[in-house]
Amino acid sequence: MRIFIVCLLITLSVSVCSAQNVVHRIEDSMPMDKWAHLGLGYIINDQLKRYTRLTPLERVLIVGGVAYSKEKWADEKFDSGDLAATVAGSLCYEIKF
């Protein structure tokens, strides 16, 4: 539900504000792949919170470990930007609205 609210706010802020909007520039600078990593980090953290008794720090570290492992062993080229986007999604989950 939170991710839906964040997406809605981003969409509304882009349509209401001028072309010099900071959020709009951030959206344009990130390729779709990074947004997918951001969303996946958020979802993994959500599932860890629902089904485990891990602390927020432990959850973020696990998401970071999973992202690192994926980048290290599953991809042909290590992309630290993908790793950062996944961890950022996990951190976004911890932000309380």
Side-chain angles (χ1 to χ4, degrees), residues 58-70 83 86-87 90:
E58 291 170 331
R59 290 192 306 266
V60 170
L61 290 174
I62 287 174
V63 170
V66 169
Y68 178 81
S69 300
K70 185 254 183 201
L83 175 63
T86 307
V87 173
S90 179

Side-chain angles (χ1 to χ4, degrees), residues 11 13 15-16 21-22 24 41 54 62 66 73 75 87 94-95:
T11 304
S13 68
S15 63
V16 172
N21 189 338
V22 174
H24 184 65
L54 298 171
I62 287 174
V66 169
W73 294 306
D75 289 350
V87 173
E94 298 302 331
I95 298 171

Side-chain angles (χ1 to χ4, degrees), residues 2-76:
R2 290 183 203 158
I3 193 76
F4 175 74
I5 292 170
V6 170
C7 290
L8 183 65
L9 289 174
I10 289 172
T11 304
L12 290 175
S13 68
V14 170
S15 63
V16 172
C17 297
S18 68
Q20 300 299 325
N21 189 338
V22 174
V23 175
H24 184 65
R25 280 185 270 151
I26 292 171
E27 287 175 338
D28 288 345
S29 69
M30 287 179 62
M32 189 63 195
D33 176 53
K34 302 298 187 251
W35 287 108
H37 280 273
L38 191 88
L40 190 60
Y42 186 95
I43 291 169
I44 293 171
N45 196 344
D46 173 61
Q47 296 303 301
L48 287 172
K49 183 174 184 180
R50 289 181 190 215
Y51 298 111
T52 66
R53 294 178 184 236
L54 298 171
T55 66
L57 177 62
E58 291 170 331
R59 290 192 306 266
V60 170
L61 290 174
I62 287 174
V63 170
V66 169
Y68 178 81
S69 300
K70 185 254 183 201
E71 289 300 319
K72 181 78 173 169
W73 294 306
D75 289 350
E76 294 176 5

Side-chain angles (χ1 to χ4, degrees), residues 76-92:
E76 294 176 5
K77 180 184 167 201
F78 187 88
D79 186 358
S80 61
D82 287 352
L83 175 63
T86 307
V87 173
S90 179
L91 291 172
C92 285

